[in-house]
Amino acid sequence: MNELTARCSPARSRAVEELAEAMAKWGCAVPDDPGITELADQLAYVAGHLPEDLVSRAEAATDLEAAVEHLRAAARLGGLLPVVTLHHLRLALQRERSARHDQARSATADEPAAYLEAQAARHHRPSGRS
């Protein structure tokens, strides 16, 4: 492991942990040690299943879809370019947070997960490793 990879590794791990926590807030069942691709798949599911009655649904969906693209880019890069991978992970976190903010503006008082939990009871939701 080169020095740059070693320096980026803790930040990458923190970013993946934060993304996993964010997925839990959206109502997803997150595995103990999720991969970036798994997080991207779950976030893509969330983006496609936002409540129709959200005032800022389009903005939240756009943010989530952008976060998914950043996660997919990070997954494709793997460990080849650690700084670029970390950059994509951080951008994904920013876009996910923006989506939660968009959702919170139009939600009554519930977490984003409230709607998705009801949906999950009726439909299949990705919950683990593929």
Side-chain angles (χ1 to χ4, degrees), residues 66-89:
V68 168
E69 290 307 311
H70 285 294
L71 287 173
R72 294 204 193 290
R76 281 190 304 273
L77 289 169
L80 295 175
L81 301 168
V83 173
V84 178
T85 299
L86 183 57
H87 174 73
H88 281 291
L89 289 172

Side-chain angles (χ1 to χ4, degrees), residues 19 29 45 75 81 92 95 99 103 108:
L19 285 160
Y45 177 84
L81 301 168
R95 297 305 294 264
Q103 192 278 340
T108 52

Side-chain angles (χ1 to χ4, degrees), residues 36-72:
I36 295 172
T37 301
E38 289 171 312
L39 294 172
D41 292 345
Q42 288 185 338
L43 201 55
Y45 177 84
V46 170
H49 292 85
L50 290 172
E52 294 292 330
D53 60 346
L54 278 182
V55 173
S56 56
R57 181 181 191 277
E59 293 90 349
T62 298
D63 284 329
L64 290 174
E65 289 162 2
V68 168
E69 290 307 311
H70 285 294
L71 287 173
R72 294 204 193 290

